[in-house]
Amino acid sequence: MGAIPTQRETASHASDAPARQDADGARGGARTHATLPGSAVTPGAARALVRAACAKWAEEERPGTEHLTERLADDAVLVTSELVTNAVVYAGTDVEVECRLEEATGALVVEVRDQHPSRAPRGSEPEVPYETPEHGRGLRLVTALAESWGVTYRRGAKTVWARLSAESDTAGDEIAAYAGREALERGLGVAEILAPEPRRAERDREWLGRGALSFLAEASDLLAGQLDENLVAALAGQLIVPRLADWCAVWTEDEAMGRWDADGVSGPGVGPRLARVWHCSENRIEELRAALEKDPPRPTDGLRSGPVPYPWPGGALDLREAHGTALAYRLIAGGRPLGTLVIGRSGLPRFPDEVTGLVEDLSRRVALAIGTARQYARQATISQVLQRGLLPVAVAEIPGVRSALVYEPCDKGGPSGDFYDVFPAGDGRWCFAVGDVQGKGPEAAVLIGLARPWLRLLAREGYRVADVLDRLNQLLLDDTTEAADAAARALASGRPPGPGDGPQTRFLSLLYGELVPVGDGVRCTLASAGHPLPLLLGADGTVRAAARPQTLLGVIEDETYTSETFELGPGDTLLCVTDGVTERRSGSRQFDDADGLATALAGCAGLSAELIAERIKRLVHEFGGRPPEDDLALLVLQAE
């Protein structure tokens, strides 16, 4: 029994003997096999298993690999993919996949074993007869393989298997019989055999009558969770092909630059972009894409979303697909054209009305998903621009001081509530600040955009640490008072309060300090307003709080703030953090419970500023089982 290339090695069990006898008949002989356990089975994983197994067996020159051609391996990959897709994706069952190489004949045997054969497939009805087929290309292949070879039943398991050999270029007589002798004579492989049947309208109606509503519901759930328009376009193709069409394409348009005028002529700027192309046969996609890019859809009926005829790209397809029908659907959301969806099916003079109606419903959902994704992208871009404008480009270098910064906003798409700054204030002074504002997003951006410039302005005007906090506190309260007065005037006039009329209480916790190089050290003056207290790590390894607690900014009018002054000697380190560090949770515990932050800092004695910052960050991340749920910022200042 050979080793399995990418998964696990299994031994022959007595319970497996009937299945092997059924699949291999009297051929017998040694076999090399690879198995994918049920918990890991996806179509992609199954394809990877077969490809890796064939490559490994050929590399090791196992007996039988002299018959293992590249085409045979490709056919085995495709058969495996379709079997698993039907079981896992369409039927919703859990399966185990096995691929075996017969050393005597070089044939590949693929088995898909259902461990729960009595469990009803997802969405099935008990009264549906066994003969009722699902009309996807994969299920037709499964039916052909099952009829040509067999289905093995054992206690607690049901196996569908296929044996592919190099005896013919069509990967076995069982597939050739399914495709017809014409396919054999033309030398077609499995990918070509899977081309759609020309007459299937009646079966489409049968399927649509049973599953259209559930299909739309599942499609809506799938599309609603996507915030990338390219991914939405890709999902649209996967939903449509091969269930509803042989191929489809999605064009997207820029809402301002790529619109069409009343005569169907592209407006100025960038026109429609062919985002995705899907075909039931993967080797047709590139040719189809090239043909479609030459002739993008040109709708002439304004904002109508219904289907209109689209020229059949026969030159990009083979002889069996030289004739067919294609339809274009405008993707419209919120009265704005976002693109076009085109579907095509060969061998039909027209699409059944049931299909066109279902695709029209699906196209509306695709358009809404694209619109939502674009709105999210715009908001994310605005937030990123705000974030870049609210924080310094770089931390200023302070003579005689090494600094290190860690800044991790929880919401990657918008401004966080934490901010920091390190800047020169003139007269040999450098100032630093670490703050946390009330709220997140635009509300946080407004307050940071108010506080940070004022900090710099007051510091450069010569105000000392405590005076800066006094004036910033008054600034926040004045803004709140003005908003409250505006709301009162609105109520007195009898009109509803507007967006800016109500009181907007704004809180700000802030650690603010000033550094002045003196002699062999650095003089530090700082104050904490409702902020986690800074910790001072001495060169001897002792840790103490470097400030006393005071009230949040923006809470009490006429509050008087005080500051602390001390010297940082060579090797002394000042650690400033936000509550994303101290209040990091693990169950009911917080990181700073029982002086956890001071204990962590004490263990950093002798380390550089950069290593201290990295260690504290790592300890904070490791403290909880999940990623941090709050913004995280810490600043390390170390006297050299």
Side-chain angles (χ1 to χ4, degrees), residues 395-421:
V395 175
E397 295 185 3
I398 305 173
V401 177
R402 296 188 64 176
S403 61
L405 174 74
V406 172
Y407 179 72
E408 295 181 347
C410 180
D411 182 4
K412 305 298 183 182
S416 77
D418 291 1
F419 71 97
Y420 63 89
D421 203 357

Side-chain angles (χ1 to χ4, degrees), residues 60 73 246 266 299 313 319 351 358 402 461 464 493 532 542 566 627:
E60 295 177 351
D246 298 333
S266 178
L319 294 177
F351 273 96
L358 183 59
R402 296 188 64 176
E461 287 294 322
R464 298 305 175 183
S493 65
T542 59
F566 53 91

Side-chain angles (χ1 to χ4, degrees), residues 219-240 248-252 273 275-278 331 333 338-341 362-376:
S220 298
D221 291 341
L222 186 62
L223 293 169
Q226 309 306 325
L227 297 176
D228 184 310
E229 67 172 287
N230 290 323
L231 183 56
V232 171
L235 288 174
Q238 293 176 338
L239 288 167
I240 292 173
C248 83
V250 178
W251 279 265
T252 57
R273 179 179 67 89
R276 282 292 186 276
V277 177
W278 283 90
L331 301 175
L338 306 180
T340 304
L341 169 69
L362 178 62
S363 70
R364 295 191 185 101
R365 289 160 171 79
V366 172
L368 288 173
I370 291 177
T372 301
R374 289 188 177 183
Q375 184 176 2
Y376 174 82

Side-chain angles (χ1 to χ4, degrees), residues 86 90 133-141 178 200 242-243:
N86 280 280
Y90 297 143
E134 183 77 57
H135 305 304
R137 61 192 177 103
L139 286 161
R140 291 191 288 114
L141 176 62
Y178 164 63
R200 55 187 183 184
R243 290 183 177 182

Side-chain angles (χ1 to χ4, degrees), residues 311-569:
W312 182 254
L317 307 173
D318 67 4
L319 294 177
R320 290 176 300 162
E321 298 177 300
H323 302 286
T325 183
L327 296 174
Y329 296 80
R330 290 290 274 158
L331 301 175
I332 299 168
R336 301 189 306 274
L338 306 180
T340 304
L341 169 69
V342 175
I343 62 172
R345 181 183 287 181
S346 63
L348 289 182
R350 61 185 296 273
F351 273 96
D353 293 340
E354 293 83 356
V355 172
T356 60
L358 183 59
V359 175
E360 185 171 2
D361 286 341
L362 178 62
S363 70
R364 295 191 185 101
R365 289 160 171 79
V366 172
L368 288 173
I370 291 177
T372 301
R374 289 188 177 183
Q375 184 176 2
Y376 174 82
R378 285 193 295 266
Q379 185 62 46
T381 300
I382 293 171
S383 297
Q384 291 168 3
V385 171
L386 281 174
Q387 188 76 16
R388 288 195 296 267
L390 295 174
L391 297 175
V393 176
V395 175
E397 295 185 3
I398 305 173
V401 177
R402 296 188 64 176
S403 61
L405 174 74
V406 172
Y407 179 72
E408 295 181 347
C410 180
D411 182 4
K412 305 298 183 182
S416 77
D418 291 1
F419 71 97
Y420 63 89
D421 203 357
V422 180
F423 59 92
D427 300 328
R429 298 178 297 123
W430 277 261
C431 296
F432 64 92
V434 177
D436 188 359
V437 304
Q438 176 194 25
K440 288 180 173 57
E443 295 82 1
V446 169
L447 192 49
I448 295 173
L450 180 72
R452 186 168 159 263
W454 272 99
L455 280 174
R456 289 195 168 211
L457 177 62
L458 292 171
R460 288 168 178 167
E461 287 294 322
Y463 287 94
R464 298 305 175 183
V465 171
D467 296 331
V468 169
L469 295 188
D470 289 341
R471 282 157 177 77
L472 188 56
N473 180 60
Q474 193 59 50
L475 175 68
L476 296 175
L477 289 166
D478 288 347
D479 185 70
T480 299
T481 303
E482 290 176 2
D485 291 342
R489 289 193 298 271
L491 292 174
S493 65
R495 65 175 177 83
D501 290 334
Q504 301 176 6
T505 304
R506 293 170 177 172
F507 302 143
L508 169 63
S509 74
L510 180 67
L511 176 63
Y512 174 68
E514 178 183 283
L515 298 174
V516 179
V518 290
D520 294 335
V522 179
R523 185 175 68 244
C524 178
T525 303
L526 56 76
S528 175
H531 201 79
L533 298 180
L535 297 179
L536 178 61
L537 171 64
D540 57 358
T542 59
V543 177
R544 66 175 179 86
R548 66 180 186 85
Q550 299 180 81
T551 308
L552 283 166
L553 298 174
V555 178
I556 301 177
E557 194 169 359
D558 298 327
E559 174 74 1
T560 300
Y561 291 89
T562 61
S563 61
E564 314 285 333
T565 301
F566 53 91
E567 284 197 11
L568 291 172

